[in-house]
Amino acid sequence: MKRRTFLAAVGSPLLARSVLASGTVPMRIGQIGTAHPHAAAKMQAMRSLPADWEVVGFVEPDIKKAKAVAAPYQGLRSLMEEELLGMPDVRAVAVETGIEDSCATALRALRAGKHVHLDKPGALNHEEFKAMRLEAEKRGLAVQLGYMLRYNPAFQMLFQAVREGWLGEIMEIDAVMGKLAPAGLRAEIGALPGGGMFELGGHVLDAILIILGKPRAVTAFNTPTRGDGVKDNQLAILEYPKATATVRINFSDPYGAPRRRFNVTGTGGTFEIMPLESGSVKLSLAKARGKYSQGMQTLQLDLPRGKYDEEFRDLARVIRGEQSLRWNAYHDIAVHETLLKAAS
């Protein structure tokens, strides 16, 4: 193909430059739903990666919501779900509906032959979630759960440290993820059977299960701070043969964001991330590991410009066959089961 013909085929000058630089042709993707809290940011991430993705449009059956969508949707086609899923050249769909519709929507996308990015926590019902994830495995399609900490540089380093034995045998994990919820958010979590734990807990539970696997037992505590019935102050204890993990979710914490932390302690050292998404790490080692010395050191890791960009870069690599998705159906099913127990 001549260069002029090629540039015409791929569209805009920005897209053309990105394609020529990367040596790949972008894949087509669409989004179903705008109700999820991360929906607009996920759309922005997809549109910021023109070398990987061409966004064909979005689906929002609620007319009022479709007319009031945020800036990341401007200039995109508003589609019907059947229209999007019927496009044979669309390779993937990002599901950003409300939680009550997310799993059924993902299943329809899988049955249409599409890979799926499914935002957390994936489903209200465990059997529905399990059936959907196993359907994807049977069809050879990827389902990427939107657990953002998977792609955070500090957590990537933590997972490496655990794999390579820097911390020895893991004895304990302590995770805290809180915030001060305004009235509207309190109403939303109050409508969830699992409350705040179900809303936020999956992020840190996903990381715990990456490190320790599925727990043998989960004990849940619920201590509401107000009389409105909202589960806003919760604690879950996960039991393992040689370790325990605690997850505390508090939606009434005025300093919840800066207090968010993830601490892993083993016989060989401790790895603490605080605040959770800051890239700030305190690493304490009983003996030197590579370029890191014995004793305590504070590290500041560089964070990506786009919070969700690496999720969609990773999904593109998986669909192109350059690598496998690192989290299979059995991991995702175990996380979802554990989350429901922790939020009980």
Side-chain angles (χ1 to χ4, degrees):
M1 182 183 291
K2 293 182 179 179
R3 185 177 187 277
R4 182 178 299 173
T5 307
F6 175 72
L7 295 184
V10 297
S12 72
L14 174 61
L15 179 57
R17 288 196 298 271
S18 300
V19 171
L20 288 172
S22 68
T24 61
V25 176
M27 295 174 290
R28 305 189 88 199
I29 191 169
Q31 181 174 303
I32 300 178
T34 62
H36 194 281
H38 298 167
K42 295 295 177 76
M43 176 57 78
Q44 185 174 5
M46 290 184 283
R47 297 187 78 177
S48 73
L49 301 170
D52 290 320
W53 300 108
E54 177 194 351
V55 181
V56 301
F58 70 99
V59 176
E60 179 47 75
D62 186 322
I63 303 285
K64 291 182 179 179
K65 286 182 180 178
K67 289 182 177 179
V69 291
Y73 297 91
Q74 300 305 313
L76 290 175
R77 291 176 61 197
S78 178
L79 305 167
M80 299 297 291
E81 182 181 305
E82 297 80 4
E83 183 181 6
L84 174 61
L85 296 183
M87 294 179 180
D89 57 350
V90 167
R91 302 293 305 279
V93 170
V95 175
E96 298 291 335
T97 66
I99 181 62
E100 66 279 1
D101 300 318
S102 59
C103 194
T105 303
L107 185 59
R108 291 193 297 272
L110 292 168
R111 288 174 174 168
K114 315 302 184 189
H115 300 275
V116 170
H117 172 86
L118 176 61
D119 227 319
K120 59 85 181 176
L124 290 168
N125 178 272
H126 183 62
E127 290 306 314
E128 182 186 20
F129 180 86
K130 181 178 179 181
M132 179 275 298
R133 281 302 282 114
L134 294 178
E135 178 89 3
E137 293 287 300
K138 183 176 70 175
R139 292 173 178 268
L141 293 168
V143 174
Q144 180 193 54
L145 267 292
Y147 289 126
M148 59 193 179
L149 299 179
R150 293 176 172 182
Y151 297 94
N152 180 282
F155 279 85
Q156 292 280 323
M157 181 181 175
L158 168 61
F159 300 149
Q160 176 191 356
V162 172
R163 283 196 310 270
E164 296 180 2
W166 300 5
L167 306 182
E169 185 175 287
I170 304 303
M171 300 179 291
E172 63 179 74
I173 298 178
D174 180 43
V176 177
M177 198 170 184
K179 67 192 301 182
L180 181 59
L185 181 55
R186 284 189 68 84
E188 290 178 18
I189 66 171
L192 296 172
M197 181 69 75
F198 188 72
E199 165 67 14
L200 279 182
H203 290 298
V204 289
L205 286 168
D206 179 67
I208 290 171
L209 267 66
I210 289 172
I211 295 169
L212 290 175
K214 184 178 178 180
R216 65 181 182 184
V218 178
T219 305
F221 298 87
N222 174 37
T223 312
T225 65
R226 305 184 195 177
D228 56 7
V230 176
K231 293 181 177 180
D232 63 346
N233 184 24
Q234 294 161 283
L235 169 69
I237 301 175
L238 283 61
E239 298 178 41
Y240 293 89
K242 296 184 178 181
T244 54
T246 61
V247 176
R248 187 178 291 280
I249 304 294
N250 186 341
F251 272 75
S252 292
D253 183 356
Y255 292 96
R259 287 202 326 111
R260 291 184 179 190
R261 65 191 287 268
F262 195 93
N263 182 288
V264 180
T265 297
T267 56
T270 295
F271 195 112
E272 181 180 50
I273 304 169
M274 183 177 177
L276 205 59
E277 298 177 69
S278 65
S280 179
V281 172
K282 287 184 180 178
L283 175 64
S284 304
L285 295 172
K287 64 179 182 179
R289 295 285 183 173
K291 64 180 181 180
Y292 301 106
S293 60
Q294 181 183 21
M296 182 181 292
Q297 48 239 286
T298 300
L299 314 172
Q300 181 58 55
L301 306 182
D302 292 335
L303 297 176
R305 290 180 61 186
K307 183 175 181 179
Y308 302 116
D309 290 5
E310 189 55 33
E311 293 184 21
F312 289 97
R313 289 193 187 99
D314 193 42
L315 183 60
R317 291 190 290 265
V318 169
I319 295 174
R320 288 193 180 108
E322 297 169 9
Q323 64 183 49
S324 299
L325 191 63
R326 284 165 282 177
W327 303 277
N328 61 23
Y330 304 99
H331 171 82
D332 289 345
I333 290 167
V335 171
H336 193 263
E337 180 183 355
T338 303
L339 175 60
L340 290 177
K341 290 179 180 179
S344 62

